Amino acid sequence: MDRDLSDEDSVVDLSFEAESPLTPPAELLERLPSYDCLFQGGGQQIFFPPLEALGRPQEPRCWSSFLEHSRVPVVTEQVAREALLSFVNSKCCYGSSAAGDLIIQELKQQTLCRYRLETFSESRISEWTFQPFTKRSVDGPQRGTSPRLWDIKVQVPPMFQEDTRKFQVPHSSLVKECHKCHGRGRYKCSGCHGAGMVRCPSCRGAKRRTKQPRRCQMCSGSGRHRCSTCSGRGTKTCATCKGEKKLLHFIQLVIMWKNSLFEFVSEHQLNCPGELLAKAKGENLFKDENTTVYPLIDFPLREISLASQRGIAQHSATLASRARVLQQRQTIELIPLTEVHYWYQGKTNVYYIYGTDHRVYVVDYPEQYCCGCTII
């Protein structure tokens, strides 16, 4: 029967981590035979997700209607100059005179398509771990059989938002003496070897400082000083069990929600760097979101159709054996790009305006100064 780990009795604080022995307690393996495979070769294993049914079949699309209702405004000479002035004003080492006086000679404009595929998936692994035992009730095998990891229900985060959470598997707990301190709760201080006192760092045990007749003031002439590591106690609280003497061993379920991303920008004949266009703000042309999305085989621009097929195939091959796909989303955005040719003080050069928010990329701005500032 499914268990919902939102219940208070089945969730524990897993923020504590400490050094562990090489193998889990033998008692834990004996009582949980169905989980023996988890602890072979590293103590951690990925659980393959159950097969999911495919989503709805692909429906024919009329791309002409999408294109007719999605038009990117044309960049005029005035818009091109205002975009450059705004960019220059944001730079402390750029002068604005050139941006205001240069002569724009030509505007080469092109609208690109950016395809993006997002696949939101969930993967689960199990591992054995422990935490200090604080005298609370133990949910061990005597209370029932531990459920299969993919049968455990948890609250899924909002779609396409990555997260990692850890849970204690029900009925998998076992209390055992701390392996670090052997059930004592404390261990001998390594700084003073249990003595509580160490050689005085000022006089180095000589009771008097070199070339000084008076006794050492730090140790009052005893040559010994209280150990700062253990505050003179000679022992330290065990960091593994936090002084509780016992550990609660259990199987831990680790759930990871990941958003895999595939992006492709259509080819262009201009010299604007591709990494800028990949991050540019665009106008949404198309959006398809479902448990499973299908390749856009009929898009007018063939390279976008091929990118869609390639992205979906890559995500399917990468995630099919190790994660469960919860949701997919594919979008097509129109990215405007303008190459501005200008003349200034006898020289010609170019700058680029990209994205619907008119970001600027300048190849070689003619009015730059060095004011000693640090560019971060």
Side-chain angles (χ1 to χ4, degrees), residues 5 7-18 129-134 136 165-169 173 240 242 248-253:
L5 287 193
D7 299 338
E8 293 182 358
D9 63 342
S10 58
V11 178
V12 296
D13 179 12
L14 304 182
S15 59
F16 173 80
E17 294 183 3
T129 187
F130 57 84
Q131 64 181 19
F133 177 60
T134 55
R136 61 183 181 82
R165 295 179 64 189
K166 300 179 180 181
F167 303 95
Q168 177 182 328
V169 174
S173 301
T240 300
K242 301 295 185 182
L248 179 71
H249 294 259
F250 54 90
I251 296 175
Q252 178 172 267
L253 168 63

Side-chain angles (χ1 to χ4, degrees), residues 224-257:
R224 309 284 289 174
H225 191 267
R226 186 172 67 175
C227 176
S228 59
T229 303
C230 64
S231 300
R233 296 185 181 92
T235 60
K236 293 186 65 178
T237 300
C238 178
T240 300
C241 68
K242 301 295 185 182
E244 298 292 342
K245 303 181 181 180
K246 294 182 179 181
L247 297 173
L248 179 71
H249 294 259
F250 54 90
I251 296 175
Q252 178 172 267
L253 168 63
V254 183
I255 305 181
M256 293 164 286
W257 290 278

Side-chain angles (χ1 to χ4, degrees), residues 46-164:
I46 298 174
F47 274 71
F48 298 136
L51 295 176
E52 300 289 340
L54 294 176
R56 82 284 180 261
Q58 184 179 14
E59 300 176 357
R61 302 181 179 91
C62 180
W63 292 110
S64 59
S65 62
F66 283 105
L67 295 170
E68 288 175 2
H69 293 87
S70 300
R71 299 190 182 279
V72 178
V74 175
V75 173
T76 63
E77 182 177 324
Q78 180 181 353
V79 171
R81 190 180 301 275
E82 290 176 351
L84 180 60
L85 281 169
S86 178
F87 169 79
V88 168
N89 290 333
S90 68
K91 304 293 182 180
C92 62
C93 298
Y94 282 31
S96 59
S97 298
D101 297 339
L102 58 80
I103 299 175
I104 296 178
Q105 297 177 315
E106 184 182 9
L107 299 173
K108 292 184 178 180
Q109 304 190 42
Q110 185 176 356
T111 300
L112 313 177
C113 285
R114 178 175 60 204
Y115 172 81
R116 178 182 285 130
L117 172 67
E118 297 172 90
T119 301
F120 187 61
S121 62
E122 175 184 317
S123 60
R124 298 187 177 195
I125 63 173
S126 67
E127 57 190 15
W128 79 274
T129 187
F130 57 84
Q131 64 181 19
F133 177 60
T134 55
K135 308 296 189 300
R136 61 183 181 82
S137 60
V138 180
D139 183 18
Q142 68 277 6
R143 292 193 176 184
T145 303
S146 296
R148 293 178 300 178
L149 296 192
W150 282 101
D151 290 338
I152 299 175
K153 294 182 178 180
V154 298
Q155 182 66 42
V156 179
M159 291 296 169
F160 307 105
Q161 293 187 21
E162 296 188 343
D163 195 8
T164 299

Side-chain angles (χ1 to χ4, degrees), residues 25 45 99 210 263 265 271 304:
Q45 173 140 339
T210 305
E263 285 186 328
V265 179
N271 294 322
I304 294 296

